[in-house]
Every structure is written in C-alpha cells, then in structure tokens.
Amino acid sequence: MESTTAVKKKTMTLVQAITDGMRTMLAEDENVLVLGEDVGKNGGVFRATDHLQEEFGEDRVMDTPLSEAGFIGAAIGMAVNGLRPVAEIQFLGFIYPAYEQIMTHASRLRSRTMGHFTVPMVIRAPYGAGVRAPEIHSDSTEAIFTHMPGLKVVCPSSPVDAKGLLIAAIEDPDPVLYLEPMRCYRSSREEVPEGKYTVEIGKANKLQEGNDVSVITWGAMVPVASQAVKEMEAKGVSCELIDLRTLYPIDRDTIAASVQKTGRTVIVHEAHGTGGVGNDVLAIVNDTSFLYQKAPVERVTGFDSPVPFFGFEDEYLPTPARVKHAIEKVIKF
Amino acid sequence: MENQFPITKWVDENGNVTGEDYKEMVTEELARTFYQHMIRIRTFDKKGISLQRQGRIGTYAPYEGQEASQVGSALALETEDWMFPSYRDHGAAMTFGHSLKNILLFWNGRNEGCIPPEGKNIFPPGIPIATQLPHAVGAAFAEKWKGTKNAAIVYFGDGATSEGDFHEGLNMSSVFEAPVVFFNQNNRYAISVPMEKQMKTKTIAQKALAYDIPGIRIDGNDVFAVYFETLKAMDRARAGEGPTLIEAVTWRYGAHTTADDPTKYRDQMESERKREETDPVLRVERLLKNNGWFDEAWAERMQKQAAEEVDAAVAEMESFPPADPADIFDHVFAEPNWQLQQQKQEYFQAKKGVPVWNQQQQ
Ligand SMILES: Cc1ncc(C[n+]2csc(CCOP(=O)(O)OP(=O)(O)O)c2C)c(N)n1
Ligand SMILES: [Mg+2]
C-alpha cells in the first residue's frame, strides 16, 4: 500500500472493495462518474455498483444503452472534456464492440496530439473462467490490450489491492483497463482500509518470500498458484510467489530481483499460452536474468483453444497440480 | 411517430378476433396447433428453471411470456430457411425443429447444444448482443445469390437495437436486398434497463424507416398476428422484395436469467397482472373456448405429452456421456496446429499420471 490516510478497516470481499473504491472516489471528486449497462438501479450484474446510484444520483451513476462502442467512445469524450469516467463492461467477452474505441482512440489520443488531449478514464471488466458461466462469458484476453501502447492494464487479486488499484486507476492521467477476476469476487474476505488509499500501478506484490523458485502470476490464478506453492513448501521447496497486479507496464525490477535470487521461474496464467502476457514476463527474465537461470522458464497457461464451455472449463484452467508439475520440472532440471 | 406504427392484433386479450378480414384465417386447426406448441415450449421453460434451481444445469435464460412471438414466427418458416436465435429464443428453435436434448445440453455447458439436427439451419444462440444480425443478412444474401427461395429470420431484443451491429445489419440487408426478416421481441427490458432508458423512440419498428425497409409493429402475445405477419414478411423476402423489421411487443414474466433478481429493478406484480390479462397461451385458450373449440381432455393430453417429451429430453441430457476433453483441442482448426497437438498430448499424459516434466524437452 503506497499512500494512506485511512486507518479504520472493514472486512470486505473483492467485489465489495471495488464498490468501496468507486464510492470513495465518487465522494472525493465530483468529476468522477460511473457508467455502463445495468449499473444503476440494478447495481450491476455482479452488484459492483450496488446502491451507488441511490447515494450519488443518476447524473453520477448512469445506466447506458446496450452499446459498448457507444458508451466507451462517449467516455473518451467525457474524459477529454474534464470528467473522470469509470465505465463498466459487463463481461470482458463483451468488450469487443468497443475495441476500436479503446485501441484506436483511448490509447493513442495523447500520442496523436502530443499531450494536448488526454484520456483519464477507467474501464472495469470482470474476466475469466471457473464460475460455470455460459459460453463467451469466460474470456481472459488481457494480452490483446497489453499489446497496445498507451493503455495501462491492471488486475487485482485481493480486496485491498482491488480498492487501492481502482483508486489509482481513477486518478491516473491515462486510460486504465481494470480487470476483475470474477472467480475471486466473493471467494475470500479481508480487512480493507476505509477512505482513500492507492496501490501504485506498475508495482508487483511479493506474496511470499522464497529461494528455490519464483512463481509469477496474477488475478484468479493467484489462489491456484498459492495452493501449489503451499504444497511444494511442505515438500521442502522454497517458493517465492509474485502477484504481478499490473500487466502493463510490468514490474521488471521485482521480477528480475526475484528470478536472479531463485534462478528458476514458473509463470502461471489462465489465458492462452500463445501471445499471452506470460511471454512478456519470459522476455523480462531473458533480458535481465538469462545467466542466472538454472532451468528453462516454465509456463502454465490455458490452452490455445477458445475457453471451453463450462462442461469442461476446469480441464482448461491451470490447476494446483499443473503448477506443481511445473515447479518440480524446474527444480529437477 | 407512434401512431404511424400501430400495433397489429388479430386476436385480442379476451380471445376475440379483432376484424372481419381475419375471421376466415383464424381457424380451429391453427388455434390448436399454436396452443399445443406454446404449451410445449412453456413446459420446457419451466423445466429449465427448475433444473437450474436444482443445480442440474447452469444459468438459464427463460422466455415465459414470449411464447406467442417464438411459436408464431417459427411456424411461419419453411424447412430450409435459416434461423438465427439469441440466448432467449430456444422456444423458437425447438418449434422450428431443434432438439430439446441439445438445447438442454447448451444450458449445461456443452458444445453439443450448438449443433442443430441434421438438415436444420439453426445457428448457435447469439450471445454477444446483436452480433447475429449481420450473420443472418449474409446467410440470406447467400440464398439469394444461389437462386433459392429460402430466407432467414433473426431474433433479438429491444436492448439489441442500441448496438452498432443492429444498424449495420439493417443497412446491409437493405443495400443487398437480402431475404431476411429481423424479428425483434420487444419485452421492454434489457436486463434491468427499461425501454425508455434504452432509446427515445417509442417504437422499434420506426427504425426501419432509416433503412428504407418496411417496419411493422405487432402484438407479440397474439400468436395469430405474429404468425401471419411473419409469413407475409417471409413471403416478401422469398419474392425478392427485401428485408422487413418486425417489432413484436411482448413481456418476459420472470428474471432475465436465473442469475438475475428482477425485484431489484421492477415490480414483479406487473408480471402477475400480465399473466391474467395478456398471457399468450391464455389468449388462445379463450379463443378456443369462445368458439366452442376447447376440449378439456385434449388440452390435458397436450400438457401430458409436453411433460413427457421434456422429461425424456432431460433424461437424455443427463445420461449423455461427459464432455470429452479431446474436444477442447480437436475443433479449433480443420487441422490442429503443433501447439494444440502438443498441449493435447501433455494434457492426456498428465491425466494418466505421467507428469509433463518427464517428457523430452520439445
Ligand atoms: C455485447 C454484449 N454486451 C452485453 C451483454 C450482456 N447482456 C446479456 S443480455 C443483455 C440484455 C439484452 O436485452 P435485450 O436485447 O432487450 O434482450 P432480452 O434479454 O430482453 O431478450 C445484456 C446487456 C452481452 N451479452 N453482449
Ligand atoms: Mg429485452
């Protein structure tokens, strides 16, 4: 946690911490507004905006027509014109109508105008598989966004980070895609500081210190990797667990320091391996720490198939067993 | 604008035929056919909800209240026509000949649910809103290009009209003069968002004006209006007279999906009132009774038949073999690439307990 004036804490789930982050910023800055499909009365399909319209009014928490290109494009115009829009995409798999607005405009308006026009907006999107959602609701396509310079991409895995990163994203001068691991929305609770605090964008979080292997992951794979790490620790393997938290720009220094210490790297993500963000992590390991590596870097990822229907999504998702195999592989190399 | 697009109604809420012109067309045989189909799809829908509640399938999108729209429109199709349903239109799909078992498999997270019976041109349900409209235009265009008399029908909701794909689909169809019918079920809600917040226009039919195609507005709970107006539109399409936009005004009684709580955003008493006043099945029942065509024993038989058919489909779904993980890898391309081949091999080796790390480095 970077800066905080808050002391009092409250137990929250990840989704409650997101609501709390929006509430904090709606109260703090009158230019902040929340918009998206069903975010008003309904409080969002995951209840992330629950009661916010009641508290702040329809001008601050707006239901939009069912039109991602429309309201993301409009949010760009709002941001350029002094507002701080926080737009909700209902599921990451439904962001594609807005893809052009994000890739062609949100991400490069600053470059095009050499800083004259800027787009301080946040796009929130639940992502990922493992909740038995109908098809196409389970995508984890962060990599098609990290590929575009000018857009920051963050992905919290805990309630404290969720709130702090969201506030940092809202205050950030550039557009931020804020990915929410659906699977972690209500899976655990922790004490979250009340009031305003931020978690710095671009900084990973070392969840556990270790000496034998660095396990690098983010989002919904954090609990999966964490389980594997726990089981490997019991077998005497000392694991360092890193939650990346920001996928663009990636925290190079934390990765380099860790993999230089351990000499072994396992990367875990649920997105497809080919073109995945894991490859950027691998490139950082190569660029900064090649000669320190005692084994080839292992990646545990989703397959190069569309995310399967939920009838077998569990087969697709990395499991603690798969992560353990990878750890054993780099250890025994 | 609203009065330029009056709601066409053939049979009113009390089961009375609204005009002399219609009398001849509103036959006992049709009434019985519609009644039977609506009972069938309603029985399925109720079962869908209860299966979800019991954890026997996943999230389910109910259509109860919209049976007249789905049955009337689907029965207006010819066997070789194309159907592009959304996630809420499996009532139409099964009326057109989709397999009940496969529809259940769809809601149970299985790809088999996307596969129509042999020879049936039924697209997988459109999940991302409005994306199916341009597909329908293309499929219809292809029929025209091949010189057939087949046409396409595409289903979508009121909320879908806000997406670019809706407008792009309509415009393309108009430019291509594609034999397609855009069948809108205006149930007046897109999840929690009421029509007044979705658009400023009072009707959806009027949007057709912008594309210079016919736009008509019908009572979507009047199966006769739905059937005959869809038939007309399909006939126009077949005759090379281009696309039509139909707005069927209807109502969903229940939740958006089983994951939704409608009491968050609307008074569900309205649905209860509508069940009494404007229900599509009740309307046909009243028509049958008004004309002395109703036969209690026959109606009971229809109910029983529907329940048996649905139960049989549930049994088939539940005894269906579990998903084969090989399917994850085998259908991505006609020929799997090396990544998929390697991942498949590693997956099955790991399953057999041969850890991936024992393999030769590739
Ligand atoms: C592109 C896209 N955005 C959002 C969603 C989430 N979503 C599913 S259904 C729905 C509302 C659709 O309303 P409407 O078109 O009126 O159809 P209805 O559900 O009432 O049949 C929304 C927003 C989606 N499936 N696709
Ligand atoms: Mg609707």
Side-chain angles (χ1 to χ4, degrees):
Chain A
M1 204 177 309
E2 307 306 322
S3 67
T4 172
T5 50
V7 273
K8 274 177 70 186
K9 294 189 173 187
K10 212 172 152 186
T11 305
M12 292 181 199
T13 60
L14 190 142
V15 68
Q16 286 168 336
I18 290 169
T19 313
D20 198 48
M22 279 187 275
R23 178 181 285 118
T24 303
M25 292 310 287
L26 281 160
E28 156 101 9
D29 180 350
E30 63 184 17
N31 291 319
V32 170
L33 70 149
V34 167
L35 71 165
E37 295 152 12
D38 305 284
V39 299
K41 231 181 197 174
N42 199 39
V45 293
F46 288 104
R47 303 289 179 257
T49 56
D50 213 10
H51 300 302
L52 294 181
Q53 189 177 67
E54 258 164 80
E55 285 170 52
F56 296 95
E58 290 196 35
D59 292 342
R60 303 289 304 287
V61 181
M62 302 165 38
D63 278 325
T64 64
L66 209 178
S67 169
E68 289 78 10
F71 73 78
I72 296 294
I76 292 171
M78 292 172 184
V80 163
N81 200 8
L83 305 184
R84 292 264 169 175
V86 181
E88 175 178 299
I89 293 285
Q90 216 153 64
F91 289 84
L92 186 60
F94 302 141
I95 201 171
Y96 308 121
Y99 198 58
E100 168 157 60
Q101 292 293 343
I102 297 166
M103 303 313 264
T104 311
H105 300 294
S107 67
R108 66 175 119 192
L109 209 52
R110 179 187 288 279
S111 302
R112 287 176 73 204
T113 63
M114 298 189 293
H116 183 76
F117 291 117
T118 60
V119 189
M121 69 186 282
V122 177
I123 303 169
R124 297 178 32 244
Y127 84 94
V131 299
R132 280 171 66 83
E135 55 156 351
I136 314 181
H137 289 69
S138 308
D139 280 14
S140 179
T141 49
E142 61 273 14
I144 63 174
F145 297 95
T146 57
H147 192 65
M148 191 66 200
L151 179 71
K152 296 180 183 178
V153 181
V154 302
C155 181
S157 72
S158 74
V160 171
D161 284 354
K163 180 174 170 184
L165 272 175
L166 181 58
I167 294 174
I170 294 172
E171 293 198 314
D172 198 275
D174 287 304
V176 180
L177 176 64
Y178 179 95
L179 297 173
E180 306 175 359
M182 244 185 280
R183 208 176 160 191
C184 303
Y185 264 157
R186 296 181 173 83
S187 59
S188 68
R189 291 164 189 276
E190 82 182 326
E191 296 262 287
V192 176
E194 288 185 7
K196 188 177 162 189
Y197 69 92
T198 57
V199 168
E200 193 183 335
I201 295 176
K203 281 271 180 291
N205 188 19
K206 201 183 287 177
L207 291 172
Q208 181 176 312
E209 293 270 357
N211 297 313
D212 299 333
V213 54
S214 303
V215 179
I216 302 169
T217 188
W218 59 87
M221 286 299 108
V222 170
V224 172
S226 176
Q227 178 64 32
V229 160
K230 209 180 292 164
E231 292 173 27
M232 291 310 291
E233 290 277 334
K235 291 188 180 179
V237 179
S238 166
C239 303
E240 185 142 299
L241 181 60
I242 294 175
D243 175 1
L244 228 42
R245 298 196 294 199
T246 295
L247 308 182
Y248 196 97
I250 298 183
D251 184 349
R252 184 193 57 187
D253 296 347
T254 299
I255 293 173
S258 177
V259 302
Q260 287 176 14
K261 177 176 67 175
T262 61
R264 299 181 188 88
T265 311
V266 171
I267 302 162
V268 185
H269 64 66
E270 70 173 274
H272 324 293
T274 298
V277 174
N279 300 351
D280 289 322
V281 176
L282 203 157
I284 287 172
V285 174
N286 184 69
D287 293 350
T288 62
S289 318
F290 183 72
L291 295 176
Y292 294 83
Q293 295 303 291
K294 299 172 190 154
V297 175
E298 270 300 306
R299 285 167 299 155
V300 182
T301 70
F303 304 124
D304 285 347
S305 69
V307 181
F309 279 48
F310 74 75
F312 42 22
E313 67 181 342
D314 294 342
E315 305 303 316
Y316 168 90
L317 283 171
T319 55
R322 282 178 64 197
V323 179
K324 269 167 43 190
H325 280 154
I327 294 173
E328 287 178 17
K329 189 173 172 184
V330 297
I331 293 288
K332 292 188 179 174
F333 181 76
Chain B
M1 191 65 83
E2 208 178 345
N3 40 26
Q4 284 180 46
F5 292 90
I7 295 182
T8 301
K9 200 188 293 270
W10 285 48
V11 175
D12 70 15
E13 288 74 1
N14 300 317
N16 298 316
V17 182
T18 58
E20 283 306 315
D21 308 351
Y22 303 144
K23 284 239 160 88
E24 212 175 293
M25 321 270 276
V26 178
T27 61
E28 175 177 1
E29 193 194 340
L30 265 185
R32 282 179 181 252
T33 304
F34 293 151
Y35 187 78
Q36 180 180 352
H37 276 284
M38 288 195 287
I39 292 287
R40 176 173 179 257
I41 74 168
R42 180 166 288 188
T43 306
F44 181 95
D45 194 59
K46 285 185 190 299
K47 182 60 88 181
I49 293 174
S50 86
L51 289 174
Q52 190 281 333
R53 296 254 185 282
Q54 297 162 36
R56 291 158 73 187
I57 59 172
T59 303
Y60 175 79
Y63 48 70
E64 199 194 12
Q66 302 183 198
E67 290 89 348
S69 290
Q70 300 203 11
V71 163
S73 57
L75 289 178
L77 307 185
E78 297 291 338
T79 325
E80 288 181 19
D81 287 337
W82 282 82
M83 175 183 273
F84 293 79
S86 86
Y87 49 86
R88 202 183 301 291
D89 304 311
H90 36 294
M94 70 182 80
T95 305
F96 187 45
H98 210 312
S99 133
L100 273 60
K101 175 201 73 185
N102 281 17
I103 292 167
L104 286 168
L105 284 170
F106 178 82
W107 293 110
N108 208 17
R110 298 292 298 269
N111 292 76
E112 288 83 352
C114 285
I115 306 170
E118 201 51 45
K120 276 278 148 207
N121 299 321
I122 306 175
F123 220 59
I127 304 291
I129 302 298
T131 49
Q132 68 274 27
L133 276 77
H135 303 156
V137 174
F141 172 85
E143 291 295 344
K144 180 179 159 184
W145 192 84
K146 290 190 279 191
T148 75
K149 287 283 169 217
N150 302 329
I153 189 166
V154 55
Y155 293 85
F156 56 101
D158 40 309
T161 66
S162 295
E163 291 281 11
D165 282 2
F166 165 79
H167 299 275
E168 296 179 29
L170 261 66
N171 186 55
M172 291 267 288
S173 75
S174 162
V175 171
F176 287 179
E177 294 173 340
V180 57
V181 173
F182 298 99
F183 193 88
N184 176 263
Q185 284 167 90
N186 178 4
N187 63 12
R188 284 168 281 172
Y189 275 87
I191 310 186
S192 72
V193 179
M195 187 182 169
E196 314 81 75
K197 289 194 173 174
Q198 191 69 241
M199 63 195 83
K200 282 289 181 187
T201 61
K202 296 281 190 302
T203 79
I204 285 168
Q206 76 193 68
K207 295 175 197 281
L209 287 178
Y211 305 101
D212 201 21
I213 65 175
I216 62 159
R217 199 153 169 253
I218 58 178
D219 182 336
N221 286 10
D222 170 8
V223 66
F224 285 91
V226 174
Y227 174 73
F228 283 112
E229 297 300 335
T230 308
L231 208 55
K232 268 191 240 169
M234 294 297 281
D235 284 348
R236 276 176 28 80
R238 288 181 219 291
E241 291 165 34
T244 306
L245 171 62
I246 298 177
E247 173 188 358
V249 179
T250 183
W251 187 262
R252 84 168 134 80
Y253 290 143
H256 167 71
T257 67
T258 49
D260 171 56
D261 172 12
T263 62
K264 273 288 264 188
Y265 52 81
R266 70 184 195 190
D267 179 359
Q268 279 297 90
M269 280 312 292
E270 195 168 355
S271 285
E272 292 314 308
R273 269 198 309 280
K274 286 187 195 296
R275 278 180 192 279
E276 296 301 317
E277 290 164 12
T278 59
D279 185 71
V281 185
L282 207 51
R283 188 178 309 199
V284 176
E285 196 172 307
R286 286 170 182 157
L287 171 83
L288 288 166
K289 285 178 177 159
N290 292 348
N291 290 283
W293 299 334
F294 192 73
D295 171 352
E296 201 76 52
W298 169 81
E300 266 170 39
R301 224 168 36 245
M302 292 304 111
Q303 296 271 8
K304 195 160 161 274
Q305 225 174 56
E308 282 167 5
E309 187 191 0
V310 170
D311 286 345
V314 173
E316 268 189 283
M317 182 266 290
E318 294 197 318
S319 60
F320 202 72
D324 178 358
D327 288 333
I328 295 175
F329 308 96
D330 291 349
H331 307 291
V332 184
F333 291 107
E335 291 295 331
N337 53 24
W338 63 263
Q339 288 98 328
L340 287 160
Q341 284 172 15
Q342 181 183 328
Q343 289 165 12
K344 182 178 175 184
Q345 189 191 4
E346 287 178 356
Y347 168 86
F348 280 105
Q349 240 152 6
K351 271 269 144 164
K352 273 187 271 165
V354 183
V356 173
W357 45 268
N358 275 349
Q359 270 183 257
Q360 289 288 309
Q361 203 74 35
Q362 304 268 338

